[in-house]
Amino acid sequence: MDPPAPKAPSGAPRRAALRRTYDAVTDEYVRRIYNELDGKPLDRELLDRFAGCVREIGPVGDVGCGPGQVARYLHDRGVTVVGIDLSDAMVAAARRLNPGIEFKQGDMTALDLPDGTWAGIVCFYSIIHIPRDQVVAVLLELCRLLRPGGLLLLTFHIGAEVVPDEMAGYLTVAGFEIEEIIERDPYPEVEHPSRRTYIFARRPVASTAGA
Ligand SMILES: C[S@@+](CC[C@H](N)C(=O)[O-])C[C@H]1O[C@@H](n2cnc3c(N)ncnc32)[C@H](O)[C@@H]1O
């Protein structure tokens, strides 16, 4: 009889492996991605819209911030932003590339921050690293960290693994109100050739998240 197939790591070992992977690719990621927003007009437009909604209200978290290009874009538009990433190397690169912006190492599955810390959260291409059965728990946590009425802008690649309706369902279960779902084709020669989704979702004003 064959021995049982080894199980894929989960929980803390899985996150430790992911952290090492992103530590190892940070320099290459910076080289390829850091200036990518220059060639992505829709992303800039959506971030401008997000900035306009939160700038006067309070600080913003960039969760899974990588080297901090999104945090930087928001900062340059007058938003107070803090970037959080699992990878120490990404956090170090973000600090080096973006003096004047706060970056911290942290895990979005266990953010030890008070309820209502942020007026807004951007979460660009990092939710995909959360195993499906934990996505609602992470979104509940993000909802708790938003002030009532706070705005989330979540992005991900559309693929066999995740589709917009599925993510919208998770957001709704976690207590968010979906404001808008936007999809676009990839910008040729600018980015990885996958379709993208952007979801604006709001913590309801009368929300009891975190209560
Ligand atoms: C594809 S990169 C996206 C980085 C950046 N947001 C961007 O748009 O270029 C995914 C990032 O999510 C981070 N990440 C993955 N799991 C995380 C977790 N549990 N908590 C915080 N960050 C996480 C990774 O370290 C990595 O920097």
Side-chain angles (χ1 to χ4, degrees):
M1 196 170 93
D2 291 336
K7 276 190 176 170
S10 62
R14 190 185 162 283
R15 279 193 297 283
L18 187 62
R19 191 170 170 172
R20 284 194 298 276
T21 300
Y22 271 105
D23 283 349
V25 302
T26 292
D27 290 346
E28 178 68 5
Y29 196 93
V30 167
R31 198 180 62 72
R32 291 174 53 180
I33 307 285
Y34 187 69
N35 293 316
E36 219 186 43
L37 281 173
D38 294 348
K40 297 166 80 163
L42 180 67
D43 299 55
R44 296 198 306 272
E45 185 187 320
L46 297 178
L47 285 168
D48 288 344
R49 176 169 145 193
F50 177 87
C53 292
V54 297
R55 187 170 26 229
E56 306 297 335
I57 313 235
V60 161
D62 179 356
V63 175
C65 62
Q69 76 278 19
V70 171
R72 174 56 176 267
Y73 187 88
L74 293 172
H75 170 86
D76 289 349
R77 276 142 195 87
V79 176
T80 301
V81 56
V82 53
I84 294 180
D85 200 279
L86 187 65
S87 154
D88 294 295
M90 284 289 188
V91 170
R95 287 179 179 149
R96 175 173 51 79
L97 291 162
N98 307 290
I101 305 179
E102 185 184 358
F103 293 96
K104 297 181 193 169
Q105 195 279 333
D107 180 349
M108 75 173 96
T109 66
L111 289 171
D112 187 16
L113 295 167
D115 295 359
T117 294
W118 292 316
I121 295 175
V122 282
C123 189
F124 271 46
Y125 304 110
S126 51
I127 196 78
I128 43 134
H129 291 302
I130 302 301
R132 219 181 209 86
D133 61 357
Q134 291 168 30
V135 170
V136 170
V138 168
L139 295 176
L140 271 165
E141 185 65 355
L142 297 186
C143 199
R144 180 187 73 77
L145 294 175
L146 281 174
R147 298 173 186 185
L151 188 62
L152 170 70
L153 176 54
L154 180 77
T155 76
F156 53 92
H157 301 270
I158 306 172
E161 288 175 9
V162 59
V163 294
D165 285 353
E166 180 183 355
M167 189 61 75
Y170 294 148
L171 284 159
T172 304
V173 170
F176 283 95
E177 281 172 358
I178 308 292
E179 289 206 338
E180 192 172 350
I181 301 177
I182 298 140
E183 294 181 30
R184 72 161 171 83
D185 286 326
Y187 292 118
E189 293 170 30
V190 171
E191 61 187 359
H192 179 73
S194 62
R195 268 180 75 73
R196 319 288 167 116
T197 297
Y198 305 76
I199 301 182
F200 282 98
R202 206 173 276 280
R203 175 176 171 173
V205 174
S207 159
T208 55

